[in-house]
Structure formats: structure tokens, C-alpha cells
Amino acid sequence: MKRKVLNLMKATIFVLAWLVCLYGSAQEITVRGNVSDANGDPLIGATIQIKGSTIGTITDMDGRFVLQNVPSNSALEVSYLGMLTQTVALEGRSTINIVLQEDLELLDEIIVIGYGTAKRKDFTGSVSSVKLEDSPVALASNLNALEAIKGNVSGLDIGATNSAGGQPSMQMRGQKSISGSNDPLIVLDGVIFMGSINDINPNDIASFDILKDATSAAAYGSRSANGVIIITTKKGKSDKPIINFNASGSLQSWINRPKLMNGEQWIESVMARNNSTDLTWLKPQEAANREAGKETNWLDASTRTGWIQDYQLSVSGSGEKMNYYLSASYADNQGVIIGDDFNRASFLGKIKTDITSWLEIGVDAAFTKSDYSGVGAAINQAYVMSPYGVMYRDEEKKLLEKYPYTQSGQNPLWGVTNGSRDNTDLRDNFRMNAYTVIKLPWLPGLSYRFNYAGNIGKERRSDFYYESHYVKEGAYDDESRYSPEAYQNLLSNANGSIDNRNITSWVIDNILNYVANFDKHSIDLTLVATRDRRDYKREVMTGNDFAANGNTTLGINGLHKATVQKITLEGDRRSNIGYLGRASYSFDNKYFLTASYRRDGASVFGVNQKWGDFMAFGSAWRITNEPFMNDENILDDLKLKLSWGKNGNQGLSPYGTLSTIRNGAEAAARYQFGNSSNILYGMIPGTLGNADLGWETTESWNTGFESAWLNNRIFLDVDLYFSKTTDQIFERNIPVMTGFKTIKSSLGQINNRGVEITLRTMNITKQDFTWMTGVTFWLNRNKLAHLYGEDLDGDGKEDDDISNSRFIGKPLGAIYGYVQDGIVQETDTEYMEKNGVSAGVPKYKDLDGDKVITAADRDILGYTTPNFKLNMSNTLTYKNFDLYFMFTGTFGGGGYFLKANREAYMTNGSGLFNSNSIYIPWWTPENKSNKYPSAVFSGDGGRFMGLQSRGFVRLQDVTLSHTFKDKWLKDLNISNLKLFLTAKNLFTITNWEGDDPEVGSAVRENTYPVLTSFSLGANISF
């Protein structure tokens, strides 16, 4: 009986315990905790969700979360972009700390290639990538997208920006075309971009991928011979909507401003070059200003402190089914040169949504409005103007004098600030990209993508010169020149123009892709059918002579009142069609093969050459994955690669292959019969067509390696390449008996070879301090292998084109002329006698030994192209501080990177007897210079060039930033705050005289300077 009672008690206790467990499992609790990464840093916006339900929350700015009404026996799923999703069982706990680990597979670098993506480690071509988003480079005051990658990509030459809203030049792996474009193709978010790079807001860019070799760029066939720059814009990252505001202000200055002669130096110079013995040549007001000690530095008067304002507001987010990014920005740039102004407003909206597990759609739309209105001061006039000249003709210094005075030289600010000229330049651009991705469910890995990209550009330009712009030259105190009566007599000079341009384009891509992995094999197959079209229309209306109208009060709006009116209409259309097949294969993560074939048709080419075929092959071997490398501890990764391909360049304008005629007044074929007053116009031949004009084709080889060393602390990539570009398109002379002087032809060959090195090192990696260094080096050599194929002199060698400085077997950009041998001295009696010159003029080498300098003494003096480029960047991080700086160098030597700079040596040579310039210690019998000619030397028919090296080293970028992580930010609902200081072009080391060696602006040239800027800004996220 007792045993039964005991068993009953045990059963009762068991049932009660079971009921308690059931009650406990059904109990709901509040769970608190935080989410961090492996370094202990909080993860903001991480998603915490009860497994199997839709109930969840996200972490705050400190990585903390609170989740109510959670079953105590449930599990939480914790996820964050770039991290492995983690499932955590609560087991009754109400407080929990979660550490997420990086998803190494997800973070394996993905590069964007033609019509798709690839893992860098698997790719066989040469691709460089720059991650701009959240990098210190993105903090610099760059108003053009290309400036952000300058110096960061080996083999890619980005020029200087030297005007407000200006666009730098770009060239990849040397010049390949003689007369066609050498610009790389721009691809924006996976679609060929047919607008202006200035319409892409740098603040919206996430990354650049630069395709340099034929295998990488072959997907774009006929337009990829110059390489491809792929731009990817930002997208949402966090489940929580992120509001981000960026603001910066920059001061710009002209640090390397040339120092002009002061008044007394100028007088000394003018008297020396004109053999003057008195100052009677001074104008009365100049003499008065000299007596009063009043001098004007015209470069100072034509410049100011520049200013850049740049603001951006963006909202972004990413959910399970949707990703979005919206931004609006405004930039305003008042350049250092007075009148050089620019402003831009940009808007971008991106949205992507997964309708189902197999259907994705997305739309991107952007609008940019740019204003380039106004004209800048004439810097070339500021160089030459008399330091005692008259800036203003009134005591209040409000009324400019047009002729200050330097021998009819005009005030550099005339037409800029005095209201005698109105200039408008407004440009609008709208672009949209819509796409659909269908993952075909019956075959895993098979997908179809449809892209449609449209672009509309409108430009409205106008220029109007009032009668006051044409004030006559006269005495400084002759106010009658500026009287209403004088203006009335100048109405016939007033003129204006309206220039409206419309550019519309569209691109359609159909992309079929199949990716599969089985055992150790991996394949990626892509088929593409693409079409695009660009339409250009231009309407130019001009009006001259407003004398009959009696006034120009309406300005450009009264253009129809002009006596002489003209309307010019222009337009063209170019279309392309292309088909691509590409296959990539890898085995065991060791052996990689890529092959592609593209067939293109283009409307711009001759009827016999409409279609072209382009193909490429690439291979790579990851040698470190071989068994015999298992014991290698120093080398972490080594991939050898080799590729070959053939791409094209459309170096021809629409209708360039067709014969043309000229008619109307333009043809000057004017006929008048008998006594009739009727004038009839005939037609005359214009240009001779060529139906065989086709593609400029570039065939290239690329080999090299990508490597990682010392536990991924050193990354070294090396590329060697060789290319030959054939069928160059340019005009050549033909016998005039044909009725034409020139014809466009396809002939000639240019070879390019070079080496590119990219080195990245992790010098120091500690908890509170890191130091990283990046070095890029590249060297390019080109050679004109063939030109016309003629041997008219019968010497058994192909003839050079000396008149255009094109020499067979020599690089492009050759400088051909006389080899200077210092300055003729008084002791060079034989040289002076034989050549009829006097002491103090440039002396040249007698190469043929006949004692007389003739055309036979000419030789190649050097080349305009650089010798090599070398850049180094460093990034240092200490706690919440980041310091980034980059040195860039373009080097000459060996006769490379030369340019004529005559005015840096010549006192006399501007064509004006009393011009100003920099001070030059000219040759005299007492100062026997062997570098500078005498003051009276004004030129010798172009023999003297004054060649100088443009080589330089520059501190291009400096950025110092601090990220705040204080708790007070939470009280202001701020999730991130970063303040930064940046500087650009702090100093330049060079032997070039003049303004800037990079743009090659010589003394007294009308070229705007490369500026130094200092910026202060903030990035704030909510």
C-alpha cells in the first residue's frame, strides 16, 4: 500500500513538474542585449527577429536592442549585411550579448565586368578597383567623378581640372588613335553611359572598376579598345532607413602664380628690347601713375579667392525584398579666375525590389542641372598688361577702361564684369535605367536580364555683345568714347547668338546568364544582344548689326531685331548593334579560362565595313593552390595570368564615310544671268567619301601576376602588355587632279607596350593604430609602326610625315626641330658670319657639318609624352582619427615630357613692343648668358622653342578626419558624425616655369591654373 502511495506521489510530482514546464515555456519575457562584431564594435541596424515569426527589431546606435513579448523558449535570428546570420536559443535568458562574424565568402571581392560580375580571384583579365564609398578619398572636394581615382589606378592617366566645373582628360595604356578618340568607354551601373561624366555626382558613387586589357573589355567590342571605366552608384545597406547629410566648404587659391615684373623692371625691359633712351613712349596716364607710385598687378586684379560649396542629402535602406537609395545634392564653384563660375543640382533615385523569388525589378532615375554661365578673365591679357596701366576711368573704381594701355591690349576683365557681354550656358540631363531580372526556375543558375537606359540632354547657350563692348581705343581721359552718342555709332557692331542642342540616346540590353558548380568545376556562360542609338540636333541663330533697330535693350531676347540674321541647323544619328557570347570556366579553384566573341555593327562606317568581329581569350593559374605549394608560408596567394584579345574604336563621326556637296552662299558658287537682279547659287563638291572606312582595331596581349604575401600584409600586382592598333582613321592628301585635296583613309599602325605595378601594404595593424600604403607605377611606350606605306624617296624605308611630326619607328608626340646649343656669344665669329646672326640669339648645332644651319640640321628633340608615373598614398588610423595623403609624380628624363615654353626665355616675342611678363635676365655683352637670348631677340622663324621638362612631384591629396562615438550623439538621434579637413595640390616640385606643369601652361598662355584648395566638412547620419 505504501509503495502504491509512493508511486502515486512520484507520478503527481512528475505531472506537476511537467505542467510547470509547460507554463514556463508559454511565458513571455522581455529580452535585452547588444550586437557587436569580432572587434567589439557595435553593429548599428542589425536585425533581431524571433525565429519563425515576423516579430523583430533592430539595434540602435550603440548596438543595443530591446524585444518585448518573446516566448522564453524561443530562438532569435540575428543578421547584418556582410556578416554570417546567427541563430541564438534563449533558454529562458532575458539578457544576451551576440557577436557576429564576417561572411568571408560574401566579402570576397566582387568586380564588375562587362554585362556581369566576377570574383577577382577567379578573373583572368586585368582589372583595377577603387572603393570610393566611406573611403578618405571620397571626402576630397572633387566636383568631377574622375578626380577621385586620379593616381589610384596604374595605367590610367587622369588629367588636371583647371576650371570651374571642368572635366579632366583621360587615357588608358597610352595613345592608340592618331585622330580618333582615346577616351575610355564609360559604363554606369552596368549600362553604357552616353552622357557627360560631369552629370554623374561623385557623392553618389560607390566604386570604380577599370577594365584595362582586351579580355576584360572585350564584352564591349567596337568601343572598348581604349579601356572601360565602370561606375557603380550607391545603394541601401541597412534594414533601418539611414538619413545621411554631407556638407563641405572649400577655399581655392593660385599658389604657383607667376611673378610678373614690377613697374621699374618692366620699364627696363621695354627700353632694352626697343633700344629706347627715354620714356616718351609712356602714355600720359602711365607716366602719372609711375610718378604717383601706383602699380597694378593684373594677375592679382583678374583673380580672387575661389570658393566651393558642396551639399548632399540622402536616404537609403535595405529590406528583405527591397533596396532603395535617394539623394539630392547641390554644388557651387566660384573659381579663382574672376567670371569662372559653375553650379550644379543633382537628384538620384534608385529602387530595387524582389517581386518573387524568381523576379526582380529595378528603376534608377537621375536629373542634373548645370550652369556654366559667364566668361572668365583673359589671363593672357593680364600677363602682358602695363603695370602702370589704367584699370578704372573713374575715381570710384567702378568703370573699367577697355584699353589700360599696352599697345591695343584689352583689359582682362572687359566683357567679364562691366556688363558689355551676356553669356548663358545651361545644361540639363535626365537619365533613367529600368531593368528586370528573371531567374528561370526550371534550371537553377539560369537568369535573364533586360536593361533599358535612356538619356536626354538639353543645352541652352547664348552669347550677346552689346555695342558698349566695342568701345574705340583713344586717350584715357577722352570720356566721349563712352558717351551715348559713341555707343549709338557702334550699334552695327552689336551681335549675338543662341545655340540650342538636344542629345537623346537609348541602350537596350538582353542578357542571358547561366552559372553552375559541380564537383570541382565551375562555369559561367553569358549571351548578350544589345542595341543603342544617339540623336543629336543643334539650332544656331545669329544676329548682327542693330543700327536699324536703334538699341539693344532686349539683349539676347531681341536677336530677331538684328539686320543680319542667320539660322543654322545641324543633326546626326549614330546607331550600334552587337551580339556577345562569353564563357568562363574554372577547375578546382586553380585553373581559369575565359573566352568571348562579339560581333558589332555600326552605322558610322562605310557600306563595305559595317560589321566587325572582336574576340578574346584569357587564362589564369592559381599556383598557390597546388599541392607542392602547401609548405610555402611567405606566399599566401599567387595567380599567373595571360590574355589576348582584339577590340575596336569608332574613331569616326556620323556620315564621315559619305561624299558631300556644298550649296547656297556657303559654296560661293554664285550666278547672276544677264541684267536680272536674281542671284542663283549652285553646288560644288565638298568631301570625297570612302566606303571602305572601318574600325580602328587594337590587338593586345597581357600577362602578369596577382599576389599576396606575409599573411596578407603585402599585395603585389604586376601587368605587362603589348598592343598594336591598325587601320588608323585620318585625312591624307591626294592628288588635286581628282577634284579633292584630302580623303579619309584607314591605314597605319601604332604599337603600345608597357608595365604596370600596384603595391599595397599593411605596415602596422594594431588595435588602436593601423598604417596602410599604396604605390602605383606605370610606364608606356608607343611607336608609329606604319603610316601611309609610301617610299617616295626610294631609300627602301617607309616615308615619315615630317610636316605633322610623325616618324616611322618613333613615338607619337615627337618634337622635331633644331638642337639648341646655348646662346651665340661674341666669340662665335665664324657662326655669326656663316649664318648672318649677331651675338645674343639662340645658337644651334650644325648636324651635317656644313657650318650653316639649314633644314638638314633638324632632328627629333624629344617627346611630349611622360617617361613614367609613380604615385604613393598612405592611410593612418589612430582610434577615431584617420589621416590620408597621396603624392603623385609624372616624370620626364630621356627626352620625354617636354614642351615649348618660349616666353620663359624671351624678353621680346609677344608681338607687342611694351608687353609685360615674368622677369628674364636677358643676354647683354656684360651678362653673357648662355640660357636667355638678348632683349631684342623676337624670334627666328620658329626655330627657337625653349623646351622645358614638365616633370613634377605633387602632394595631391591630404585628408584628416575624426569620427565621433560619444554617447551624447544618441541624445541628438545621430548615429554617426564625422568631421574632416582636406587639402588638394598643397605643393608641387618642378623645374617648369610658368603656371602648372601638368596642364603644360606656358608663360603668357591663356590657360587657367591648377588650384590649391582647403576644405572643411562634416558627414552626419541619422
Side-chain angles (χ1 to χ4, degrees), residues 69 78 82 134 187 259 275 298 334 365 374 418 488 491 518 575 617 653 668 737 822 825 839 868 872 903 966 1013-1014:
N69 303 322
V78 185
D134 299 326
V187 175
K259 185 178 179 181
N275 292 318
W298 292 90
Q334 295 181 6
N418 67 316
Q488 194 72 19
L491 280 171
F518 45 94
S575 303
F617 303 93
S653 300
M737 65 185 67
Q825 303 299 328
F868 63 90
M872 182 181 70
E903 309 298 334
D966 303 270
S1013 65
F1014 301 90

Side-chain angles (χ1 to χ4, degrees), residues 768-790:
D768 291 333
F769 180 70
T770 60
W771 173 23
M772 297 180 292
T773 298
V775 176
T776 56
F777 167 88
W778 64 97
L779 177 149
N780 173 269
R781 294 287 185 268
N782 64 25
K783 181 177 70 173
L784 182 60
H786 300 290
L787 194 55
Y788 307 126
E790 298 174 337

Side-chain angles (χ1 to χ4, degrees), residues 154-155 718-721 753-757 777-781:
S154 60
V718 176
D719 281 285
L720 304 172
Y721 64 87
R753 57 186 172 87
V755 57
E756 300 167 356
I757 301 174
F777 167 88
W778 64 97
L779 177 149
N780 173 269
R781 294 287 185 268

Side-chain angles (χ1 to χ4, degrees), residues 594-812:
T594 301
S596 65
Y597 169 77
R598 175 156 175 157
R599 182 165 174 80
D600 275 349
S603 64
V604 296
F605 291 119
V607 65
N608 299 330
Q609 297 288 341
K610 291 290 187 185
W611 291 88
D613 299 298
F614 308 95
M615 59 202 72
F617 303 93
S619 61
W621 175 26
R622 174 158 284 104
I623 191 171
T624 44
N625 283 0
E626 295 289 355
F628 59 81
M629 296 291 291
N630 290 341
D631 297 331
E632 178 57 55
N633 297 322
I634 297 177
L635 182 60
D636 304 308
D637 185 74
L638 176 61
K639 182 179 70 174
L640 308 180
K641 56 188 181 181
L642 175 67
S643 65
W644 170 90
K646 185 170 69 170
N647 297 330
N649 181 25
Q650 297 184 10
L652 194 63
S653 300
Y655 320 125
T657 66
L658 304 179
S659 298
T660 63
I661 58 172
R662 298 165 59 196
N663 62 357
E666 177 192 16
R670 185 176 182 273
Y671 299 95
Q672 193 171 2
F673 297 97
N675 295 324
S676 172
S677 60
N678 293 332
I679 298 176
L680 305 177
Y681 292 96
M683 296 183 295
I684 63 174
T687 58
L688 181 63
N690 185 349
D692 293 321
L693 277 181
W695 320 81
E696 291 185 351
T697 303
T698 298
E699 181 179 345
S700 63
W701 287 89
N702 189 95
T703 187
F705 65 85
E706 299 171 7
S707 62
W709 306 73
L710 301 178
N711 197 24
N712 292 323
R713 293 178 65 93
I714 299 176
F715 299 88
L716 177 63
D717 300 339
V718 176
D719 281 285
L720 304 172
Y721 64 87
F722 169 81
S723 69
K724 64 176 182 179
T725 304
T726 55
D727 298 325
Q728 296 284 325
I729 298 177
F730 52 88
E731 287 191 353
R732 61 168 303 186
N733 295 326
I734 58 176
V736 293
M737 65 185 67
T738 62
F740 301 88
K741 295 181 179 180
T742 61
I743 186 174
K744 286 188 175 70
S745 302
S746 293
L747 66 166
Q749 176 181 322
I750 296 175
N751 296 343
N752 276 272
R753 57 186 172 87
V755 57
E756 300 167 356
I757 301 174
T758 301
L759 174 66
R760 293 170 291 138
T761 62
M762 302 288 294
N763 306 318
I764 300 176
T765 54
K766 295 186 178 296
Q767 182 175 357
D768 291 333
F769 180 70
T770 60
W771 173 23
M772 297 180 292
T773 298
V775 176
T776 56
F777 167 88
W778 64 97
L779 177 149
N780 173 269
R781 294 287 185 268
N782 64 25
K783 181 177 70 173
L784 182 60
H786 300 290
L787 194 55
Y788 307 126
E790 298 174 337
D791 181 17
L792 300 180
D793 58 6
D795 63 353
K797 297 186 297 184
E798 186 175 349
D799 294 339
D800 299 322
D801 183 358
I802 296 178
S803 62
N804 291 302
S805 294
R806 296 168 183 162
F807 299 90
I808 305 301
K810 301 296 183 180
L812 296 175

Side-chain angles (χ1 to χ4, degrees), residues 31-37 40-48 56-67 78-80 96-98 100 238-242 965-976 1021-1022:
V31 179
R32 293 178 171 83
N34 64 69
V35 181
S36 62
D37 61 15
D41 293 328
L43 296 178
I44 304 169
T47 301
I48 299 93
T57 186
I58 59 176
T59 56
D60 61 16
M61 67 186 69
D62 297 317
R64 292 195 291 262
F65 69 91
V66 177
L67 190 59
V78 185
S79 61
Y80 188 79
I96 187 168
N97 297 323
I98 304 163
L100 295 183
S238 171
D239 290 344
K240 173 189 173 183
I242 299 296
K965 297 183 179 180
D966 303 270
K967 293 184 178 180
W968 58 266
L969 293 175
K970 180 180 179 182
D971 299 331
L972 300 176
N973 291 321
I974 297 176
S975 60
N976 182 69
S1021 298
F1022 303 92

Side-chain angles (χ1 to χ4, degrees), residues 929-968:
S929 172
N930 202 38
K931 180 178 181 182
Y932 300 101
S934 68
V936 297
F937 174 72
S938 60
D940 52 8
R943 289 183 178 183
F944 178 70
M945 295 186 183
L947 292 178
Q948 286 188 347
S949 171
R950 293 168 54 196
F952 68 93
V953 174
R954 169 177 288 157
L955 180 54
Q956 176 180 288
D957 294 295
V958 179
T959 300
L960 176 64
S961 63
H962 176 70
T963 303
F964 292 85
K965 297 183 179 180
D966 303 270
K967 293 184 178 180
W968 58 266

Side-chain angles (χ1 to χ4, degrees), residues 151-283:
N152 285 296
V153 178
S154 60
L156 177 61
D157 297 317
I158 301 295
T161 301
N162 61 335
S163 63
Q167 178 175 322
S169 62
M170 52 182 172
Q171 182 174 280
M172 194 181 302
R173 290 190 168 183
Q175 180 181 350
K176 302 178 183 69
S177 178
I178 292 177
S179 58
S181 172
N182 284 279
D183 291 348
L185 179 70
I186 302 295
V187 175
L188 179 63
D189 288 330
V191 182
I192 292 175
F193 180 63
M194 303 179 74
S196 168
I197 191 72
N198 270 2
D199 294 325
I200 304 174
N201 181 12
N203 294 320
D204 291 326
I205 295 177
S207 64
F208 292 86
D209 291 283
I210 293 85
L211 315 183
K212 296 186 287 188
D213 72 322
T215 301
S216 306
Y220 297 103
S222 64
R223 285 176 288 189
S224 61
N226 298 322
V228 181
I229 298 177
I230 298 179
I231 300 174
T232 303
T233 56
K234 295 177 181 177
K235 61 182 180 180
K237 290 184 175 182
S238 171
D239 290 344
K240 173 189 173 183
I242 299 296
I243 301 174
N244 194 70
F245 178 68
N246 301 327
S248 66
S250 306
L251 295 176
Q252 293 181 306
S253 62
W254 186 0
I255 288 182
N256 296 325
R257 183 179 311 181
K259 185 178 179 181
L260 299 179
M261 288 186 285
N262 60 35
E264 294 309 306
Q265 288 175 326
W266 169 72
I267 286 179
E268 180 190 2
S269 171
V270 174
M271 294 183 69
R273 75 183 84 153
N274 294 286
N275 292 318
S276 298
T277 57
D278 55 46
L279 298 178
T280 55
W281 50 271
L282 281 176
K283 293 291 184 179

